[in-house]
Amino acid sequence: MCGLIAHRGFESRSLRQEHAHEHTGPSGPVVVSDTLGAIHASAARRPGADGMPLSPALHIASPGSPRRLWWAAALCSLALLALAVAVHTGLTQPLDDAVAAALLPQRSELRLAALRWWTDLHDPWVLGPLTAALSAFACWRGQRRWAAVALLSVPGVLLLNLALKHLFARARPDAAEALVLLHTYSFPSGHAAGAAAFHALWCAWAMTRLRSPATRAAAVATALVAVMLVALSRLVLGVHYLSDTVGGALEALAWLCACLLATRRLSDAPRAS
């Protein structure tokens, strides 16, 4: 009798081990955060461009983790609020003035031409059509959530930026040092916000498609450099302070997270052949 009980216990353990092996695969258990939930699981089963299922690890950076998005949106919003308070109380002014003074000798003709060209590429009437094209491409690919996020992110962050500028009402830097005369408020920077929203948008989309860690790192680095160059162009042209550009980037990241949260119930549809 004892032998029969032991034999059945061994069979029960074997079945549990086989069941666990079927779910973890031959490489061992894969630890996936519970915050990804059902959206992460369904994303892992969707086929990639080559028709093969995508690895769950490829979707950790996808717009499928509401808890992480909430945390990111909250942290960026709190950081923006703290920066706004520091700007209003004058805490950032010494650093802003020091950076502006350090950049004055860097205004060579070649640098100014390159920076003007780059900042003009991130004007609203340029980012608007580019974002519309991204949304149309995502819609054509059947990626309805990305299409909606694209339509909401850049236009929405620019409208939000106008409201924030009037709310904080920070004056522009000294017009005598500015190379472009603007009559709007300074904080937060609209160009920095638009650039951060646009480049974070395509970078987040790329994170869900790229498989190689090297290409993923290259995408992130490209987006960061692009936004930093826009911020630098606004400083060199004398139309913004450093804190303005940081505030614009924080605004854009918080808004993009909010857009991803607002569209989290949208699912992809198969593309019509």
Side-chain angles (χ1 to χ4, degrees):
M1 179 64 69
C2 293
L4 179 61
I5 294 175
H7 177 70
R8 290 181 176 176
F10 174 80
E11 288 181 344
S12 178
R13 287 193 300 271
S14 299
L15 288 174
R16 287 196 299 268
Q17 291 172 357
E18 290 176 1
H19 182 70
H21 179 75
E22 290 173 358
H23 282 74
T24 57
S27 60
V30 178
V31 179
V32 180
S33 173
D34 291 339
T35 59
L36 299 179
I39 298 177
H40 177 276
S42 62
R45 291 193 297 268
R46 286 199 298 267
D50 55 0
M52 297 298 292
L54 295 178
S55 168
L58 293 177
H59 292 274
I60 292 179
S62 70
S65 178
R67 187 177 300 177
R68 292 183 181 181
L69 290 174
W70 276 114
W71 273 108
L75 288 176
C76 290
S77 299
L78 289 175
L80 176 60
L81 179 60
L83 181 61
V85 171
V87 167
H88 182 71
T89 56
L91 292 178
T92 64
Q93 201 61 49
L95 178 59
D96 287 335
D97 292 339
V99 172
L103 290 177
L104 279 178
Q106 309 302 321
R107 290 178 169 180
S108 66
E109 291 187 5
L110 181 60
R111 288 172 182 167
L112 285 176
L115 291 175
R116 280 180 183 271
W117 172 78
W118 190 246
T119 199
D120 288 342
L121 280 181
H122 293 82
D123 284 340
W125 48 84
V126 177
L127 290 182
L130 287 177
T131 305
L134 282 178
S135 179
F137 176 75
C139 188
W140 176 70
R141 296 283 298 176
Q143 299 172 345
R144 294 182 295 187
R145 187 180 188 189
W146 283 113
V149 170
L151 287 179
L152 291 172
S153 57
V154 177
V157 82
L158 293 177
L159 292 175
L160 175 63
N161 185 261
L162 290 176
L164 292 178
K165 281 180 182 292
H166 285 84
L167 175 64
F168 299 122
R170 187 187 195 185
R172 294 271 182 178
D174 187 3
E177 303 293 344
L179 299 180
V180 179
L181 187 59
L182 298 174
H183 301 285
T184 55
Y185 292 119
S186 186
F187 181 86
S189 168
H191 276 74
F198 178 78
H199 291 291
L201 171 67
W202 71 255
C203 185
W205 177 85
M207 292 297 99
T208 68
R209 314 308 299 172
L210 299 176
R211 297 175 180 271
S212 168
T215 54
R216 285 179 154 210
V220 173
T222 300
L224 286 175
V225 170
V227 176
M228 291 174 65
L229 285 176
V230 172
L232 178 63
S233 70
R234 306 309 287 171
L235 298 179
V236 173
L237 292 175
V239 294
H240 278 296
Y241 296 108
L242 174 63
S243 53
D244 297 336
T245 60
V246 175
L250 290 173
E251 172 204 344
L253 293 177
W255 179 255
L256 181 59
C257 290
C259 293
L260 290 171
L261 284 168
T263 59
R264 66 185 184 275
R265 296 190 180 278
L266 291 179
S267 59
D268 291 348
R271 186 180 60 175
S273 57

